[in-house]
Amino acid sequence: NAEFCETRYVDHLEQDCLPEEDPDNPGSILPNCGDWYLAEIEYGDQVCVNTGEDDECLQPANFNSAQCRDDPDPEDDWTDDCPDCDEPPLVDPCDANKSIAANFISTMISGNTSISTSFSAAKTNSTNGYESAFHIDHVSGVYSASTPATSNEGDTYSSTNINSSTVAVGHDHDASHAAIPSFFDAYSAGETAVSTNGAVSTDYVLSATASYALVVSDTSKFKAFSTIYNESYLEKDSNNQFTGDLDQNTAVAYDINNVGNDAAGLYIVKHAVDPNNPTSTEYAAARAAGYESALAYFLGKYDTGITLLKADANGTFQALHFTAYVSDIDPTYVVYLASPCN
């Protein structure tokens, strides 16, 4: 497995090195890594390198030189006891929180005409090019949903008129663009749960092509997560409005993008009739699979306390987790994929 570790070191050290010396800006990408003898890089792994005594290219002062960037023999750049290089792929278990989230959703929506009517209206709106938002209240043991009101990404939650009986909110996404919840949606769901002391713990994201739910299973975990990875990790446009994506200038986004791109690529290989020339439909499906896997990985790896669920063909919401696909040909090739907890 040493060769895999060396490849990642050579390819990604400059972009991904995260020095512990910069606590005020955790996760930022710095071209000059500072003290990177033990540096956190892609996938959050700890990569061990020696002190530079045996290889001048390991000395920070020489790192950006052309000779060192093109170091033909990285073999000596590694210690013999790099602990995490031999670790197995990351695991995202189908734990109790995921099971509780799925049961909570099932109890809320099963056989409920009010909710199904609201869902149907939101899905129809998703084909009309605009978002609409709704909320679900729980009064005297009965769940009821409001009629979806026209909204947009920035004010989805404030426009739903949350009250003391509200337990869930929801909105639609334009199915032709991004049916899957955005990273902004995940943050908003967590922040809403925290601000309501866990009362409003669920956000449905619906479209004509797919239906999802974000359930904040553990507000304490989201608080801990957002203390480190606050809203500065979300991308904003020129008008200072959230785009829904992660800030592309962070190592977190680099990590997540790699997962999404790998998952989309694997989808093409496994499902396209001609992987070298996928159709537009196959490409769109691969893109959706990549984004779904990236979000599941993000929520799990970074311990957000949020469970992602997706409705199956029968309308049953199943909790998702990320699993690792390991190539039979090259065991160092690992792709993380969103999978249902059955």
Side-chain angles (χ1 to χ4, degrees), residues 8 16 18 26-29 40-46 90-93 95 98 183 186-187 218-230 233-234 246-247 249-260 293-307 321-322 336:
R8 286 198 296 172
D16 295 346
L18 306 180
S28 60
I29 297 175
E40 182 181 357
I41 65 164
E42 187 181 0
Y43 308 127
D45 290 340
Q46 295 295 318
L90 298 176
V91 175
D92 180 28
D95 58 14
K98 289 182 173 62
F183 294 97
Y187 272 80
D218 191 327
T219 55
S220 61
K221 282 190 175 182
F222 182 78
K223 286 180 180 179
F225 158 79
S226 59
T227 297
I228 300 173
Y229 303 102
N230 56 37
Y233 282 79
L234 292 172
L246 294 169
D247 184 344
N249 294 313
T250 64
V252 173
Y254 189 83
D255 179 17
I256 300 305
N257 289 344
N258 282 337
V259 171
S293 295
L295 181 59
Y297 177 86
F298 172 76
L299 296 177
K301 176 190 173 179
Y302 291 92
D303 203 17
T304 61
I306 300 175
T307 297
H321 68 135
F322 68 80
Y336 291 104

Side-chain angles (χ1 to χ4, degrees), residues 134-167:
F134 60 90
H135 63 94
I136 297 175
D137 297 339
H138 189 220
V139 180
S140 301
V142 178
Y143 292 98
S144 60
S146 65
T147 300
T150 302
S151 178
N152 59 58
E153 189 71 40
D155 65 8
T156 294
Y157 295 91
S158 61
S159 69
T160 54
N161 298 313
I162 294 173
N163 58 62
S164 60
S165 299
T166 301
V167 295

